[in-house]
Amino acid sequence: MSEASPERIWTHQDPDYLPPEIDTSKPSIARVYDAFLGGKDNFAVDRAIATEGMKHFPDGGGGARNNRAMLFRGVKFMTEQGIDQFLDVGSGLPTMDNTHSVAQRINPDARVVYVDNDPIVLAHARALLQTNDNTRVITADMREPEAIFEHPKVRGFLDFSRPIGLLLVAVVHHLGDDEGPAELVDTYKSRLASGSYLQLTHFCSCAPEVRALEGVLLSMLGTGRARDLKEITRFFDGLDLVEPGVVHLPEWRPDEPVRQPLDLAGNCIAGGVGRKP
Ligand code: SAM
């Protein structure tokens, strides 16, 4: 690893440089997810978990890609409804396409704040977002919503007196039952103006293979809980669910007819979009 300097920005054109805050000896959720997606921003310790997970659930990558695809369909839908500001909590690593690129293709003035507690997301996003004035990224923990809403880079940039699109996409399953995930999501919803949307997706306990993958994630990564459709639907309490409701992701407003029955990758994550009345 080469010397860090504050000016130096991590890019794939500079592969020898690694920001000092990145610990490659321990796995990270963002990097394991990137490994499932076939990305380049992961290390041996992350790939070992993805490889072990795929022994039980060979198309783990398909599940992750379905999740990204539904994320984009949801952001497109919300932007078409007039939403022009997004708070993307647990955003992960910006890949080729992302929340801001989808929203800004429709509305170039749409603002996006990415929030993640993994420093690799900030390091990577700095390079990617250098020239995008309508997009910001902060390092914060979703379990501290006030710290996010009151963050100096968020307040004043997003106007919480107007509708926003809140994204909790594939992140709430990283909370244990003892951390009160439903109550935490309720806190976020209570901060949203009427007309705001919540898009939430969640690892779904639908098959033995998913339970096996959950076992690998919990034992090797310490996090990644599958919940059933009823528990996932509970996160939308108090919101008007956008049709077709909480479903397995390929079934959420697909661009093309969906082949039934869904395969495992199609069934392993569920979610939806709800509007605050
Ligand atoms: N939302 C993206 C998507 O759906 O493509 C990324 C999902 S990835 C599976 C989960 C992300 O949530 C990771 O980047 C991880 O670092 C982040 N995360 C996990 N726990 C978090 C927490 N307590 N606070 C903020 N981010 C968290």
Side-chain angles (χ1 to χ4, degrees), residues 29-30 33 67-68 71 88-93 115-118 121 140-143 169-171 173-175:
I29 299 169
Y33 183 62
N67 182 61
R68 295 296 293 176
L71 165 66
D88 187 348
V89 179
S91 58
L93 299 167
V115 182
D116 205 286
N117 66 346
D118 189 326
V121 172
D141 196 305
M142 73 167 147
R143 289 166 291 197
V169 177
V171 65
H173 51 225
H174 294 299
L175 294 174

Side-chain angles (χ1 to χ4, degrees), residues 127-141:
L128 215 93
L129 303 175
Q130 266 183 104
T131 54
N132 193 314
D133 291 339
N134 284 329
T135 307
R136 293 185 174 179
V137 55
I138 65 167
T139 302
D141 196 305

Side-chain angles (χ1 to χ4, degrees), residues 17-48:
Y17 173 65
L18 194 60
E21 65 273 23
I22 309 298
D23 182 352
T24 60
S25 69
K26 294 195 197 100
S28 109
I29 299 169
R31 295 180 338 224
V32 171
Y33 183 62
D34 183 66
F36 272 112
L37 280 168
K40 291 185 283 184
D41 300 311
N42 52 73
F43 301 94
V45 69
D46 311 304
R47 288 190 288 276

